Amino acid sequence: MSSSSRRPNVRGRPGSSLAAGGLALAVVAELSSAGLLGLSGWFISACAVAGAATFSSFSYIAPSGGVRAFALVRVAGNYGRRLVLHAAALRRVATARAVLFDRAVATGRAQADGLWSGELLDRSMADADSAGMALIESTTPVAVTAALTVGAVLAVAASASVAPAAVLAAGVVLMAVIAYRAPGIVGEAEQHTRKALRAELVTAVDAWTEMASLGAAEQLAARTTARLTRLDTAREAAGLRRHRTTLTAGLIGTATLTATAATGGASDAPTFVFVALLSLGVLAQAEQLAPAAKARATAKAAHRRLTTGVPLTARYPTVAGIRSWSTEQGIGFADYRLPPMALRPGRVLGATVARGGMLVVTGRSGSGKSTLLRALASSLRQATEGGQGRPAVVAVAADDHLFAGTLGSNWRLADPTLTDDEIGERLAQLRLSDSGLTAATPVGPGGRHLSGGELRRVYLGRALARHPYVLIVDEPTTGLDDRTARHVLGVLATLPDTTVVLALHEVPVCLESAGHVSRLPLDHTSQEAP
């Protein structure tokens, strides 16, 4: 059963019904607020006029009842709006996240490992939140402003004349045009600059000791200072744009209110106050169109990133043309042409590996080893299905990723049933326990608390926990001393019922005499794989 069939349906009509109900409650609440403002002003003015008259037949019972009714509807509408709109928005966020992870799963099956980086996943989750919350931040203010403007224009035309109603409508339309002509994503440049600065700071912290030893600390500090200056400049420019938009909208609102009052044609003071206060409430709501326009542009950009472009990192180009197969006897591939960036571009390769055997892809740096392994992993995933809970292919990239937390929590991503004792046995198998590592050892963000050799073995241990049919490992001995490297290769060479593909600079002595180990050199045309 697929993940999409197991997941509850959150995309259907209930979400649309919630959104429509929330918008209706928002409109009712704001209409009640405007009505309360206008009626209260009229009521107070009428009471003052009646009190100043010698003889007055003014009755306060009906207007006071109307004020109370508007107040009750406003309170109830605002409460219901918050409940319903937030429920609808959260459902949309859940839907966007579900679609995101569906695409991540589909991409993982069709592409090589490592395409979903932590930074990319963070950005995609933020995009899902922006797309889901657009209902509250963008759609609701626009719908409320439109309904409130129509209601206020009709009320002003009925109580005074058509002229002030037309002026009010024109003012709101002009404010809407100004709001939507302003830069949609005001802080886009600021966001890009902040992202670059954050990456620079993280790199600077990690590389500070090395840079200081090279005498480059001052240059590094100057680079960081320059990025800080660019961020301040971007923030200042964004602030100026926001202030200009707000000031323009305020001036238009003030002019509209003045013109509405001047053309009011009200027959008495209470009606004049009613028209003025009702117009003020509409114009105050229209000022929300500027942030609504920004939220709308942000949501559109987020939706476009989530639904159109393939969320892949640029580090891993797609390599076409490889043909692979997997049977009970082993795996193989053919028709693989080395890419242009390889040392020997255009060379066509192929190889077969018996079940339980090992293929060692050798070559100098830049010969195309990593690219071949990624292409093979992607192709085998499309051509192969695992069974009995075992994955068909697990690949360990040269720059794999660890999540912040403990070593055990990272390994349990591969096998949630692992106990601390079983993790301890696997640590001992890879000689990680010699370094004092346990299931409770914190690894730090990205595994910063571990050495390079420890990281390679932790990645490898997590992959071994899946017990795959095919295990593909890029440079498994990086950062290891000779003794530990021989031990790790011995573990990989004796895996039961698992076909192993490795990328190494050369076949080590400890594997040369093994009968089940094949070699595929990428930078020597005179040697071919068995």
Side-chain angles (χ1 to χ4, degrees):
M1 183 182 296
S2 66
S3 59
S4 59
S5 62
R6 291 194 300 267
R7 188 178 56 253
N9 180 18
V10 295
R11 300 176 173 82
R13 295 179 59 186
S16 300
S17 301
L18 273 177
L23 290 175
L25 287 171
V27 169
V28 169
E30 291 303 325
L31 286 175
S32 300
S33 296
L36 178 62
L37 180 64
L39 183 58
S40 297
W42 179 90
F43 183 43
I44 294 172
S45 300
C47 288
V49 171
T54 304
F55 298 100
S56 176
S57 59
F58 176 72
S59 174
Y60 66 88
I61 297 177
S64 64
V67 170
R68 291 183 176 89
F70 275 130
L72 289 174
V73 173
R74 183 186 69 166
V75 172
N78 280 327
Y79 179 73
R81 171 183 67 177
R82 290 189 182 94
L83 287 180
V84 178
L85 278 180
H86 278 83
L90 290 175
R91 182 166 294 190
R92 291 190 175 195
V93 170
T95 299
R97 290 180 175 180
V99 172
L100 170 65
F101 283 107
D102 280 349
R103 293 181 65 231
V105 171
T107 303
R109 290 171 181 161
Q111 304 290 339
D113 279 355
L115 296 179
W116 283 85
S117 66
E119 179 183 350
L120 179 61
L121 187 57
D122 288 343
R123 191 200 72 186
S124 299
M125 292 293 285
D127 285 343
D129 293 345
S130 297
M133 295 304 291
L135 174 64
I136 294 176
E137 298 172 350
S138 175
T139 306
T140 300
V142 173
V144 167
T145 301
L148 189 57
T149 301
V150 172
V153 167
L154 294 177
V156 170
S159 61
S161 65
V162 176
V167 171
L168 177 61
V172 173
V173 170
L174 187 56
M175 292 179 71
V177 171
I178 293 296
Y180 279 86
R181 286 186 59 133
I185 305 177
V186 175
E188 184 174 9
E190 179 184 346
Q191 291 173 6
H192 287 301
T193 306
R194 186 186 299 113
K195 176 181 176 181
L197 175 61
R198 184 167 55 245
E200 180 84 8
L201 288 174
V202 170
T203 304
V205 170
D206 288 342
W208 186 261
T209 302
E210 181 180 355
M211 293 296 101
S213 66
L214 292 174
E218 291 185 3
Q219 291 88 331
L220 187 60
R223 280 168 52 95
T224 305
T225 302
R227 290 192 182 277
L228 282 169
T229 302
R230 285 197 290 271
L231 177 60
D232 288 338
T233 302
R235 284 178 173 173
E236 183 178 356
L240 287 175
R241 287 193 293 268
R242 284 192 294 265
H243 289 316
R244 282 198 297 266
T245 302
T246 303
L247 180 60
T248 303
L251 291 175
I252 293 173
T254 302
T256 302
L257 183 60
T258 304
T260 302
T263 59
S267 58
D268 51 32
T271 303
F272 176 82
V273 173
F274 171 75
V275 171
L277 291 178
L278 188 61
S279 301
L280 181 62
V282 174
L283 294 172
Q285 175 60 39
E287 290 182 353
Q288 301 301 314
L289 292 177
K294 175 185 175 183
R296 176 177 176 271
T298 302
K300 284 181 64 177
H303 181 73
R304 183 171 60 252
R305 286 192 295 265
L306 288 171
T307 57
T308 56
V310 180
L312 307 180
T313 56
R315 295 176 299 164
Y316 303 113
T318 301
V319 179
I322 189 171
R323 178 172 58 88
S324 67
W325 60 89
S326 178
T327 67
E328 291 186 358
Q329 286 72 39
I331 65 168
F333 70 94
D335 302 332
Y336 176 75
R337 186 179 298 275
L338 284 174
M341 70 285 295
L343 291 179
R344 294 184 176 274
R347 182 185 173 199
V348 180
L349 301 175
T352 58
V353 192
R355 181 177 182 178
M358 176 182 288
L359 174 66
V360 181
V361 181
T362 62
R364 291 171 290 171
S365 297
S367 59
K369 301 188 301 297
S370 299
T371 306
L372 169 58
L373 262 59
R374 285 194 294 268
L376 179 60
S378 175
S379 179
L380 284 174
R381 285 195 185 94
Q382 298 177 62
T384 313
E385 289 295 335
Q388 302 175 355
R390 295 177 61 187
V393 182
V394 169
V396 181
D399 53 351
D400 216 328
H401 182 76
L402 283 186
F403 293 93
T406 65
L407 189 151
S409 66
N410 275 274
W411 278 15
R412 289 189 179 99
L413 292 173
D415 184 0
T417 65
L418 282 176
T419 65
D420 286 353
D421 291 340
E422 290 172 331
I423 292 176
E425 293 175 1
R426 295 177 184 272
L427 290 172
Q429 180 188 29
L430 295 172
R431 292 188 175 175
L432 285 167
S433 57
D434 296 346
S435 303
L437 300 185
T438 66
T441 299
V443 299
R448 294 180 189 170
H449 295 172
L450 305 179
S451 68
E454 289 171 343
L455 273 176
R456 295 303 298 154
R457 285 177 285 168
V458 168
Y459 297 150
L460 188 57
R462 184 172 59 185
L464 292 175
R466 295 292 286 138
H467 189 39
Y469 285 98
V470 181
L471 176 63
I472 299 177
V473 188
D474 191 1
E475 302 290 352
T477 60
T478 300
L480 303 180
D481 60 82
D482 291 341
R483 179 170 173 268
T484 306
R486 288 194 300 271
H487 176 79
V488 168
L489 291 175
V491 171
L492 295 175
T494 56
L495 290 177
D497 199 27
T498 296
T499 303
V500 180
V501 180
L502 304 180
L504 294 169
H505 290 293
E506 59 183 13
V507 178
V509 177
C510 62
L511 295 180
E512 286 183 348
S513 59
H516 63 293
V517 176
S518 304
R519 181 185 179 188
L520 177 61
L522 300 190
D523 53 0
H524 295 86
T525 56
S526 60
Q527 294 175 284
E528 299 296 336

